[in-house]
Structure formats: C-alpha cells, structure tokens
Amino acid sequence: MNKKRKPINSIQRNKLLDKNGYSCCVCKATNIGLHLHHIDGNPDNNDDSNIAVLCVKEHDKHHRPSQYRDNLNHIELTSERIKQNKDSWENFVLESKKPQPQILAVVNAFGTSENVTTIRLIFQWTNIEKIEFQKDFHHVDIPFKEIPDLILSEIQRFGENIQLIIFDQIETIEHCKNRHGALSRIVNLNYATRIISPDWQNKARCNIFINPIRPSLAICIFFESEKDPIYSVSIHKCGNDFHIHDELNDIKVPFLLNKIRTQLTNLVNSIIFEEWNINPLNILIATGKHDNPTIIDKLYFPKIWEAH
Ligand SMILES: [Zn+2]
Ligand SMILES: [Zn+2]
C-alpha cells in the first residue's frame, strides 16, 4: 500500500529554516543542502516538533549508520540525539535574537606564543554551563588576517546583541584521548552575569570585610537582592605573597617588602573596579567583629600587614 505523503508547505519550511538559523541543527553548517527530516519516521506527522533541519551529511548518517561506523570518533546519530539537538539549537537561535541574550561568543587561541595554530569561536550559554557549538579556524586553512571578519560574520548571523569575549592567553593544545581536539575555555557563569547585565552598575553591590587583627580580608559581590554572593574572594598574607583564593583559583602574587598596604589597596581596587566594575557608591567596607562590624568609609588595612 502506498501512503500518500502530506507535503510540508513552503510557509512551514521557511518557518522551520528560520527557527534553525538556516543551519543544520546537528553540525550547525549553513552553506550546505538542508533537508527536513521526520524525527519519528512518520512522514504524515508534520508537526513542527517532529521536523528537524539536517544537512545532507547528517541526514545520511542517520539513515545509513552502517556506512559511518568504521570512522574514528563516530557517534551514532539516533532519533533521540536529533531531537535533543533540534530543541537546544532552536532555543539558541531564538535566544540569540533577543536584546540581551543569555549567550556569549568566546574566542580561544591555541598553539604557542610564536605559533598560534587555531582560533576557536565558542557560543556558550550564560545561564547554564553549556557550549552550544564551536567552530575552529585553522591557520593552515585560512590566513589569519581573514579570521576576525569570519568570526564577526559568524556572530552576526545569529544576532547583533551577542557580546564577544576574547581570551588573549594562548592555550596549549591538550589532546584528550576521548575527544578529538583541545579543551575549550569558557566564561564562568557568575562573571557572565557581570558582562551581560545592562544595569550591572546599579544592581551589583560589594562588601569588603577587613580582619582587624590578622592580615586577611574578604570581598563578596552580590547581584540584585540575592543573599548569596555571586563571587567571593579572600586575600591574606602568606610569606612574601598575597594569597588570593576564590572558588576557581588559588594563586599567590608576590609583593615588594615596603608599602605592602599600598600594593594591597591596588590589588583590591583592581578586583572591584577593573574586574568586577562595581559602582563606588555600592561598596560597603567593614571591620571589627564579624557579628557586629564597624562600617568604615574607605579602605584601611591594619599595620599587621606590614609586619615581617
Ligand atoms: Zn549537519
Ligand atoms: Zn530523514
């Protein structure tokens, strides 16, 4: 029995292509033939939720999996994976068009300082720890001077309001044996809040607590009315270093032996103003007892910081 296929009309086709940014929802390629695939295998089920935009390659991978099983790094393109890709990708394309999208474009460079071999563009979410997709530009394929324009046009094809963050530190390529290529560096979610919030300067507050008897202090940054800080860092004196400790890093920064407190003031200012862009009116500095602190009107560190 030959069933008559209900065709997908051009209005629905265009709507679906638009929802997918005219890209394959699996590999995100755009300059390639795109097919509409029925996820449940039923050609009569033309509901939007059942139709995935796939490039010819991914479409073939799904329908003829045996042709690809010999490939290294082959992951079976199951219906479930197509569905997950479609939902996530359509969400991403929709979000990217918003005036303040919860998405950042991040650039990583790989190689050595003498020889950068790869520039990677990563699209990450800022509300969940997730990379939506990434694209590598290899020096061997593309002259470097063309890469900035390629990156900008790749971002603009989704939305004008996606902010671009460039990690200027060059990452060495660490090959993970379970994954082809190097690991990506993305922006931590709390720091992303500071980048994407347009009214950050009004809504962010900073509390600094200076320990009155030990060379130690803590900085907490709050956003909106949230009780838990989105960032906190403690700094104490450790030998001839400032020991800076936060959720992700544990670093030591050496200081010169005189005017330690001036260097400390500069360090604290660089954290609150340069790194976190806090409005000076929203800073509260306290010292004394933790449960009954004294508010002071400017940074003042006790003499114990200068002791050797
Ligand atoms: Zn594809
Ligand atoms: Zn199909």
Side-chain angles (χ1 to χ4, degrees):
M1 283 268 286
N2 247 346
K3 264 209 267 175
K4 234 195 193 160
R5 236 179 199 239
K6 256 198 293 169
I8 296 171
N9 66 35
S10 63
I11 295 173
Q12 189 183 9
R13 181 184 164 81
N14 287 336
K15 185 176 75 178
L16 283 161
L17 287 173
D18 188 60
K19 272 168 92 171
N20 284 267
Y22 298 86
S23 329
C24 167
C25 73
V26 175
C27 72
K28 284 67 173 171
T30 185
N31 297 318
I32 189 167
L34 297 174
H35 292 174
L36 299 182
H37 163 74
H38 290 84
I39 298 170
D40 70 355
N42 174 6
D44 287 329
N45 181 359
N46 284 350
D47 194 79
D48 278 2
S49 66
N50 189 44
I51 295 170
V53 175
L54 294 180
C55 69
V56 287
K57 279 190 205 161
E58 306 292 345
H59 201 188
D60 192 53
K61 268 189 207 167
H62 174 68
H63 287 292
R64 300 192 309 149
S66 61
Q67 301 293 309
Y68 297 87
R69 286 196 181 120
D70 294 343
N71 289 9
L72 229 67
N73 301 315
H74 174 70
I75 306 168
E76 205 98 340
L77 187 55
T78 59
S79 297
E80 200 182 321
R81 266 192 66 222
I82 293 176
K83 179 75 180 140
Q84 282 168 0
N85 274 276
K86 168 190 162 68
D87 291 346
S88 184
W89 184 240
E90 289 180 359
N91 247 336
F92 171 86
V93 173
L94 180 72
E95 183 69 25
S96 67
K97 295 191 173 95
K98 292 182 180 171
Q100 284 141 27
Q102 295 272 7
I103 289 165
L104 283 177
V106 177
V107 168
N108 286 187
F110 295 95
T112 61
S113 52
E114 293 89 46
N115 184 22
V116 173
T117 54
T118 304
I119 303 284
R120 176 174 292 166
L121 173 62
I122 302 156
F123 288 92
Q124 70 162 97
W125 288 87
T126 57
N127 49 354
I128 46 167
E129 200 111 15
K130 184 180 172 185
I131 292 175
E132 187 64 34
F133 93 104
Q134 57 189 32
K135 191 168 179 169
D136 284 349
F137 300 92
H138 298 292
H139 186 30
V140 286
D141 306 327
I142 310 158
F144 266 143
K145 62 179 189 338
E146 290 174 20
I147 294 178
D149 283 347
L150 291 172
I151 286 177
L152 289 181
S153 65
E154 187 69 18
I155 296 169
Q156 278 162 359
R157 89 179 166 99
F158 300 110
E160 297 285 324
N161 301 314
I162 300 175
Q163 295 197 60
L164 174 64
I165 303 295
I166 297 170
F167 283 118
D168 48 15
Q169 192 191 323
I170 298 162
E171 312 281 327
T172 50
I173 303 174
E174 290 169 56
H175 284 281
C176 165
K177 63 178 180 195
N178 296 316
R179 214 188 139 273
H180 164 76
L183 299 172
S184 300
R185 214 171 131 208
I186 61 172
V187 175
N188 142 293
L189 297 190
N190 291 332
Y191 195 68
T193 307
R194 166 221 180 297
I195 296 168
I196 62 163
S197 306
D199 43 1
W200 170 261
Q201 279 245 323
N202 290 325
K203 289 184 174 171
R205 290 173 292 119
C206 173
N207 290 358
I208 302 171
F209 181 79
I210 299 167
N211 189 312
I213 46 175
R214 258 172 286 185
S216 139
L217 67 97
I219 301 172
C220 291
I221 290 168
F222 301 85
F223 185 62
E224 291 187 306
S225 48
E226 283 183 43
K227 286 210 179 78
D228 294 323
I230 69 164
Y231 177 74
S232 61
V233 58
S234 69
I235 302 172
H236 64 263
K237 194 178 152 190
C238 194
N240 289 343
D241 298 309
F242 293 125
H243 188 169
I244 308 168
H245 183 85
D246 66 18
E247 210 185 320
L248 299 169
N249 303 296
D250 198 346
I251 53 170
K252 284 184 175 175
V253 176
F255 49 70
L256 303 172
L257 285 178
N258 62 339
K259 295 191 178 161
I260 296 171
R261 287 180 292 176
T262 308
Q263 297 167 69
L264 180 63
T265 303
N266 293 340
L267 174 66
V268 170
N269 283 340
S270 79
I271 293 172
I272 57 184
F273 298 123
E274 282 162 44
E275 215 176 308
W276 285 93
N277 190 26
I278 298 291
N279 181 341
L281 297 173
N282 293 346
I283 299 172
L284 191 72
I285 306 168
T287 186
K289 289 196 181 102
H290 235 301
D291 49 0
N292 186 21
T294 312
I295 306 300
I296 52 178
D297 61 1
K298 62 182 196 131
L299 285 177
Y300 176 80
F301 302 112
K303 279 209 177 74
I304 181 87
W305 283 88
E306 306 283 352
H308 299 306

